[in-house]
Amino acid sequence: LDGDKYPLFSLIVKSVIDHINKFIIIYSEDPMKAPDAAAIMAAFPSADFSEVKAPEVFGTGNEFTVVNANGSYTYKIVVRGDNNGDGKINSTDALAVLKHSVQSAVMEDSSKLNASDLDGNGTINSSDALAILQISVGTKIIANDYNPGVVK
């Protein structure tokens, strides 16, 4: 997968393909609904792939695999702000971030950590939880307010 080779992917949903960590990072424009799997799938030129395995829901932690003549490539989906895998950004995600920040329920999955660190500073804290709440009620727009920092 190559962002330059597949420019339609970025036009349909704001996204970044992180080849190092094997993430497809999606910036949802509508926090109340998961990214549209059909629109994302339509963006990929099918002639280049012999097989595409996409999840029903494009939510954090789900896997997306493409197969071509050079091999099979699997990426974990990261929807910024969604850390429970439903593709939506809501108070449930904010609560999980708060619990993680006080270590009462620690997230260990790298895709969930990446989805939760909205400011990209490498630390998941109450500021990230507040941002998730603001996005969920529409007072902030993730695509305009956050840069695609990657938690390692």
Side-chain angles (χ1 to χ4, degrees):
L1 298 178
D2 181 343
D4 293 334
K5 188 171 182 182
Y6 304 105
L8 289 177
F9 187 77
S10 295
L11 292 175
I12 291 173
V13 291
K14 291 177 173 56
S15 62
V16 174
I17 298 174
D18 178 347
H19 295 288
I20 295 168
N21 294 300
K22 300 293 185 200
F23 291 146
I24 296 176
I25 303 170
I26 300 171
Y27 298 84
S28 180
E29 294 186 358
D30 182 352
M32 298 310 292
K33 82 182 215 192
D36 181 16
I40 293 170
M41 293 304 302
F44 286 91
S46 59
D48 289 356
F49 304 114
S50 58
E51 186 177 356
V52 176
K53 298 175 189 171
E56 278 187 43
V57 175
F58 273 71
T60 297
N62 295 331
E63 292 186 345
F64 179 84
T65 302
V66 292
V67 179
N68 66 18
N70 297 319
S72 176
Y73 306 92
T74 299
Y75 290 78
K76 273 197 168 183
I77 296 167
V78 173
V79 178
R80 300 293 273 184
D82 165 43
N83 55 44
N84 66 0
D86 66 359
K88 302 172 187 173
I89 304 165
N90 55 40
S91 60
T92 303
D93 301 303
L95 180 59
V97 168
L98 281 175
K99 286 181 175 182
H100 176 83
S101 71
V102 297
Q103 300 183 347
S104 72
V106 178
M107 286 184 266
E108 294 182 4
D109 181 273
S110 60
S111 60
K112 290 180 179 185
L113 292 169
N114 190 292
S116 300
D117 184 19
L118 294 184
D119 57 15
N121 69 359
T123 302
I124 298 166
N125 55 37
S126 59
S127 295
D128 297 307
L130 176 60
I132 290 171
L133 283 174
Q134 290 171 322
I135 291 163
S136 73
V137 298
T139 59
K140 283 192 180 269
I141 300 171
I142 195 166
N144 293 341
D145 290 347
Y146 299 101
N147 119 13
V150 175
V151 176
K152 297 194 184 207

